[in-house]
Amino acid sequence: MTKAPAISRTGPRRHDREIIALAVPAFGALVAEPLFVMVDSAIVGHLGTPQLAGLAIAAALLMTAVSIFVFLAYATTAAVARRVGAGDLQAAIRQGMDGIWLALLLGAAVIAVTLPAAPWLVGLFGASDTAAPYAVTYLRISSLGIPAMLVVLAATGVLRGLQDTRTPLYVAIGGFGANAVLNVVLVYGAGLGIAGSAWGTVLAQCAMAAVYLVVVVRGARRHGASLRPDAAGIRASAQAGVPLLIRTLSLRAVLLIATAVAARLGDADVAAHQIILSLWSLTAFALDAIAIAGQAIIGRYLGAGDTQGARDVCRRMVQWGVAAGVGLGVLIVATRPLFIPLFTGDQVVQDALLPALLVVAVTQPISGIVFVLDGVLMGAGDGPYLAGAMLVTLAVFAPVALLVPIWGGGLTALWWAMGLMMGVRMLTLWLRTRSVRWLVIGATR
């Protein structure tokens, strides 16, 4: 666990170095996470189509559960970073331990629900009779790893708050490698089939959580922080996470509505939509890495009572977000003849895909600003505002998107509605950061 860097006010170059030092490793760790599912899919896919279909359903349920609790990372990052800025590393690590204990409690609750409800949850997806048993098996076994997954989220937040994104990168790479080896050994070597894939993933996740706990515990002992659960601290962590949970659920609702509307447009449109959504999610990793840097840096500045420094670094990160968005937009346009055929050879799907893809490219700079300002306000601990802003965004987006099949315009119109959604988010976040209400200083908000 590295010592947090001291705050320096030496201009944009200093900010650039800080942003790069935090964002680049964060990007690597973000990219490593979905590779778990890709490895499982590649290995299980050779067992047969029903097994792969079962994995797809179970993985979707698991990823949804984990994404709901991503606030464990976001809220912990902001809270720890504030205490780092205030110069109290003992309190910073103590705050992180509260987040980890909360992760364990939530993980136990999810297991208690998932184990008995697995057949019902799989049934909601309309799984076939051949795929359903495999989905239930994978879901039940993998759910045992959810506490470890949530601990990884919380501990990642601790290290980000301590301005350390390299350790999460190393752990993610190690976890990816262990997952791949364990899957091959258990699926084929031990002949466990899809159950072996689930156990391999659980073991890899538990190993990652164990590494994180060793790092955090060593830091706690070094700075004299208590490791015991503190009811008041755990309750405070949960309260800080509720607004971010509302924000995340609202964003998930936007994506679900978009997919439902695309499905009404026809098979070709929903197929093209899925391709674009996958690409959009991939570009989000690059932009989210800058946002993660923003969470850590902004929290540290406000903890140190430096509002001008927070404003300066916010302005610089917005410039980074715009530049990254422009670069990603140009990259999408330039490489579209190369990657579109990789996804589909159906000319009808390609025809639906291309104009909507150009909308995504054009709106990437807006996305860059949104991700950065989202990270800035998370770092400031401004969760209630983020929750309210996302609910407003959902209220604007939903009726516009639902009218697309009536008004016409097809998939392109739907992605213009997605662009409107990002525009509303940008406006609400920009208005907040233009004010002084987010600039709350001190070790706690």
Side-chain angles (χ1 to χ4, degrees):
M1 185 177 293
T2 57
K3 182 179 179 180
I7 289 179
S8 173
R9 297 273 299 281
T10 57
R13 289 186 179 179
R14 168 65 182 178
H15 295 323
D16 290 345
R17 287 195 295 271
E18 279 194 305
I19 293 168
I20 291 171
L22 291 171
V24 171
F27 175 71
L30 289 169
V31 170
E33 291 172 8
L35 292 179
F36 270 75
V37 177
M38 290 180 63
V39 167
D40 288 4
S41 299
I43 294 173
V44 171
H46 291 285
L47 296 175
T49 300
Q51 289 90 334
L52 184 58
L55 170 66
I57 293 168
L61 287 165
L62 289 166
M63 293 306 295
T64 298
V66 173
S67 66
I68 288 174
F69 296 116
V70 73
F71 70 84
L72 288 167
Y74 293 159
T76 304
T77 297
V80 171
R82 275 186 173 270
R83 287 161 175 79
V84 169
D88 192 347
L89 287 177
Q90 182 186 73
I93 297 172
R94 174 65 260 179
Q95 178 71 40
M97 286 304 305
D98 291 336
I100 290 172
W101 280 111
L102 176 62
L104 288 170
L105 291 173
L106 290 173
V110 172
I111 289 178
V113 172
T114 304
L115 286 178
W120 177 76
L121 292 170
V122 169
L124 289 178
F125 278 73
S128 67
D129 292 339
T130 54
Y134 295 112
V136 171
T137 296
Y138 191 94
L139 181 60
R140 278 180 167 161
I141 295 172
S142 293
S143 67
L144 300 177
I146 286 179
M149 295 168 72
L150 299 189
V151 166
V152 166
L153 284 177
T156 299
V158 176
L159 296 182
R160 287 174 181 171
L162 292 167
Q163 319 297 294
D164 176 11
T165 56
R166 290 183 178 273
T167 299
L169 172 61
Y170 300 147
V171 175
I173 293 172
F176 168 71
N179 181 59
V181 172
L182 287 167
N183 266 260
V184 171
V185 170
L186 296 176
V187 172
Y188 299 120
L192 296 179
I194 195 170
S197 177
W199 281 116
T201 301
V202 168
L203 291 173
Q205 289 162 348
C206 289
M208 292 171 66
V211 171
Y212 273 119
L213 289 175
V214 168
V215 173
V216 174
V217 167
R218 283 179 178 174
R221 288 175 175 171
R222 184 180 307 120
H223 297 287
S226 174
L227 298 174
R228 294 179 179 178
D230 176 65
I234 294 171
R235 186 164 54 250
S237 294
Q239 289 171 347
V242 169
L244 295 180
L245 175 61
I246 294 171
R247 167 201 166 276
T248 299
L249 291 174
S250 300
L251 183 56
R252 298 295 298 184
V254 165
L255 299 179
L256 288 172
I257 289 170
T259 300
V261 170
R264 291 186 183 182
L265 299 176
D267 290 348
D269 285 296
V270 74
H273 174 75
Q274 183 58 37
I275 294 170
I276 296 173
L277 194 60
S278 299
L279 181 65
W280 191 71
S281 299
L282 182 62
T283 63
F285 286 131
L287 300 175
D288 204 26
I290 304 174
I292 287 170
Q295 293 172 31
I297 297 171
I298 291 294
R300 196 178 91 243
Y301 271 97
L302 293 178
D306 188 354
T307 57
Q308 186 57 48
R311 279 197 178 280
D312 290 343
V313 77
C314 173
R315 188 178 303 111
R316 190 59 177 171
M317 280 188 291
V318 168
Q319 293 170 355
W320 271 79
V322 172
V326 170
L328 289 169
V330 171
L331 186 63
I332 290 171
V333 173
T335 60
R336 70 189 189 282
L338 300 176
F339 68 77
I340 288 179
L342 295 177
F343 285 100
T344 179
D346 189 325
Q347 189 60 49
V348 177
V349 176
Q350 290 186 7
D351 290 343
L353 175 64
L354 184 57
L357 190 63
L358 294 177
V359 175
V360 174
V362 168
T363 56
Q364 280 300 297
I366 295 175
S367 296
I369 295 172
V370 168
F371 273 84
V372 165
L373 294 183
D374 208 39
V376 165
L377 294 182
M378 282 185 189
D382 206 8
Y385 182 84
L386 289 172
M390 197 62 228
L391 287 172
V392 169
T393 301
L394 175 60
V396 173
F397 169 78
V400 174
L402 293 173
L403 286 171
V404 165
I406 299 172
W407 288 348
L411 189 64
T412 303
L414 175 60
W415 275 93
W416 276 120
M418 290 288 285
L420 170 66
M421 179 271 295
M422 296 302 287
V424 173
R425 289 187 70 190
M426 182 181 71
L427 177 62
T428 57
L429 298 175
W430 177 78
L431 289 173
R432 185 64 164 184
T433 54
R434 289 284 294 176
S435 73
V436 297
R437 300 180 72 176
W438 65 282
L439 293 168
V440 179
I441 60 173
T444 58
R445 183 178 174 89

